[in-house]
Amino acid sequence: MPASLLFRPPLALRTFTTYLSKHPYRRQSKIFRHSAVGNGGCSLHSSARISTHDISCRAIQCAADIATDPALSPASKTQAPAIARRKRVLSGVQPTGTLHLGNYLGAIRNWVKLQELYETYFCVVDLHAITLPHEPKALLEATRQSAATYIACGIDPERANIFVQSHVSAHAELAWLLSCGTPIGWLRKMVQFKEKSQARGAEEVSTGLLTYPVLMAADILLYQTDVVPVGNDQMQHLELARDIAERMNSKYGGNKWKKLGGRGGRIFKVPDAFIAPVGARVMSLTDGTSKMSKSAELDASRINLLDDPKLIQQKVKRAKTDTFEGLEFGNPDRPEATNLLGIYSLCTGVSMDVIAEEVKGMRWGHFKSTLADAVVAHFKPIQQRYHEVIADNTYLDQVMLTASVLRIGLTKDATHMRA
């Protein structure tokens, strides 16, 4: 499978229409029909005997069951049903810019641990990346690099599902259904939207920036996710996803769904947050009060996962510090000290108590050299593995194909993958 096909965003996988063609509601009510136009789609037709509420209820339920319907799961045909499934985790990172130390310590490294305990889904959220101006070819390459980085950091494709968001068209389809039931007032309260719209001006901000929290909710709810790893800055978006799930369950679930021939009960699982106790928020090297970010103008503010050892040493050496004597962790007046000591702890595995005793009389120059060596040593095997994966196009494409088509219950028919 050529890389240009596998990583072309968005990829026209007909998960939603395949599901609708097999769903018993379609045969009973004749509401859902396949469209013969193009690669295949779904047209929704109303009947004089069926209300708009009935149509919405069935459409919401169809989208909600995509990931769990046995008819769409190849594994279900060969494997005996499990007595009790592991809790399900879903998370993702945008393929904009280069993944950095904050992405790794705050998110991806925690994913490696979670794959041992949960049923895990990790996606490259390329649809979220297009809410801001972007270069399509650069986004395509960044998507591949992000997937390779996941694997290099320790995500095992044999134990976790690694996939590209746009390869599963049900994400966008469910987002539209949820948008139709989400009050716009909820979206206008999102802090990130307020900050970005004020910074860029209302006329320059896309509608996607306002509605992308609904797409994030669709990402989560589509897989009946139990737990979502989030940083403190994403908690508001997770709370919105929980609110949307509860609203849809109230409007379309329970007895309303049962009267339409469904099983009744809730449609969407209401997800919980997982926040790592340490490393959930790695701060900028140039400002200890601001989060390390891919979008920051200064590259010196972050350590990228693929920075060479010399560049890492330069960035750490130039990192902002303070004029206090000695080093300490947890002093609110010394955010840079807390940040750099936290990074050292996470890269070495040494507890903060031990480090605090070790460095309390140390000067910044000495500590920065020690910190740079620790980061370089920690990144060395990751960078080696990354270059191996990114150079093997066949392997990387196969990982994406397996996750998107087989493990997530999409059709095996290659004709469904034509753009």
Side-chain angles (χ1 to χ4, degrees):
M1 186 70 62
S4 60
L5 177 60
L6 276 176
F7 288 88
R8 184 183 301 164
L11 198 60
L13 296 174
R14 297 185 298 177
T15 313
F16 193 64
T17 53
T18 301
Y19 176 83
L20 295 180
S21 69
K22 296 181 179 181
H23 202 282
Y25 290 160
R26 178 180 180 271
R27 294 191 293 273
Q28 292 170 4
S29 66
K30 297 183 180 179
I31 287 180
F32 298 106
R33 301 179 187 172
H34 261 301
S35 169
V37 180
N39 291 329
C42 174
S43 56
L44 187 60
H45 303 272
S46 61
S47 167
R49 295 174 297 171
I50 299 179
S51 69
T52 302
H53 178 277
D54 293 340
I55 294 173
S56 299
C57 184
R58 289 175 180 146
I60 290 289
Q61 175 51 32
C62 286
D65 281 349
I66 286 172
T68 57
D69 185 355
L72 292 181
S73 176
S76 66
K77 300 179 181 180
T78 59
Q79 297 178 2
I83 297 175
R85 74 167 178 86
R86 288 181 170 187
K87 285 189 175 182
R88 187 170 295 160
V89 169
L90 180 135
S91 192
V93 173
Q94 291 189 34
T96 51
T98 304
L99 293 176
H100 54 68
L101 183 70
N103 299 136
Y104 170 68
L105 295 178
I108 300 175
R109 193 167 76 163
N110 290 322
W111 298 355
V112 177
K113 300 174 183 177
L114 292 175
Q115 71 181 344
E116 306 292 340
L117 305 172
Y118 298 90
E119 178 187 351
T120 48
Y121 292 76
F122 301 126
C123 59
V124 182
V125 288
D126 53 340
L127 294 178
H128 289 289
I130 65 175
T131 58
L132 296 174
H134 65 284
E135 172 59 43
K137 289 184 178 180
L139 179 60
L140 185 73
E141 184 59 29
T143 299
R144 292 184 60 83
Q145 291 174 350
S146 295
T149 302
Y150 288 3
I151 298 171
C153 289
I155 304 297
D156 184 355
E158 296 297 322
R159 289 180 288 177
N161 297 282
I162 305 173
F163 65 102
V164 178
Q165 181 189 31
S166 66
H167 289 188
V168 186
S169 59
H171 285 256
E173 290 158 349
L174 179 57
W176 172 249
L177 295 174
L178 298 181
S179 293
C180 292
T182 301
I184 194 169
W186 289 7
L187 304 180
R188 287 175 173 164
K189 294 177 182 178
M190 296 293 103
V191 172
Q192 286 195 11
F193 172 74
K194 289 181 179 179
E195 292 176 346
K196 292 181 179 180
S197 60
Q198 289 174 358
R200 295 183 175 87
E203 296 299 321
E204 299 297 326
V205 173
S206 70
T207 304
L209 195 62
L210 175 67
T211 61
Y212 94 91
V214 181
L215 176 58
M216 183 181 295
D219 299 336
I220 296 167
L221 302 181
L222 182 63
Y223 299 98
Q224 303 291 5
T225 304
D226 296 287
V227 182
V228 182
V230 292
N232 292 326
D233 59 320
Q234 291 293 332
M235 275 300 299
Q236 189 182 35
H237 290 155
L238 180 59
E239 288 299 328
L240 177 68
R242 289 170 56 87
D243 290 342
I244 291 174
E246 290 173 347
R247 182 180 178 87
M248 294 302 171
N249 289 340
S250 176
K251 290 184 68 174
Y252 304 111
N255 289 332
K256 300 183 185 74
W257 178 17
K258 200 167 186 178
K259 288 178 181 178
L260 293 172
R263 61 175 171 80
R266 68 184 181 187
I267 296 174
F268 294 118
K269 182 166 291 186
V270 180
D272 293 319
F274 171 84
I275 301 179
V278 181
R281 192 172 174 85
V282 177
M283 311 308 285
S284 167
L285 296 181
T286 57
D287 180 1
T289 62
S290 299
K291 183 181 177 183
M292 187 175 287
S293 172
K294 291 183 289 185
S295 60
E297 293 184 7
L298 288 177
D299 184 62
S301 68
R302 58 187 171 267
I303 299 175
N304 302 309
L305 261 66
L306 301 180
D307 283 347
D308 61 58
K310 184 177 180 180
L311 183 56
I312 292 174
Q313 291 171 348
Q314 290 176 350
K315 288 182 176 181
V316 173
K317 182 178 180 180
R318 296 170 183 171
K320 182 181 177 182
T321 54
D322 54 47
T323 58
F324 290 85
E325 287 293 329
L327 307 181
E328 60 180 331
F329 178 83
N331 186 338
D333 294 327
R334 307 186 67 184
E336 287 78 20
T338 296
N339 185 44
L340 296 180
L341 288 172
I343 292 172
Y344 182 69
S345 174
L346 290 164
C347 287
T348 61
V350 179
S351 70
M352 288 305 307
D353 291 338
V354 174
I355 291 175
E357 185 64 27
E358 176 186 342
V359 304
K360 64 180 181 180
M362 193 178 292
R363 293 185 176 276
W364 277 118
H366 184 192
F367 174 73
K368 284 183 174 181
S369 178
T370 303
L371 174 60
D373 290 342
V375 174
V376 169
H378 194 81
F379 276 6
K380 184 176 181 179
I382 294 174
Q383 292 178 352
Q384 289 177 340
R385 177 60 177 153
Y386 169 82
H387 291 299
E388 292 173 0
V389 173
I390 202 69
D392 191 343
N393 290 328
T394 301
Y395 170 72
L396 186 57
D397 291 348
Q398 188 58 45
V399 168
M400 296 297 100
L401 179 66
T402 300
S404 295
V405 180
L406 301 180
R407 294 188 181 179
I408 305 178
L410 302 180
T411 176
K412 293 181 181 180
D413 188 350
T415 61
H416 293 178
M417 298 179 62
R418 294 173 184 167

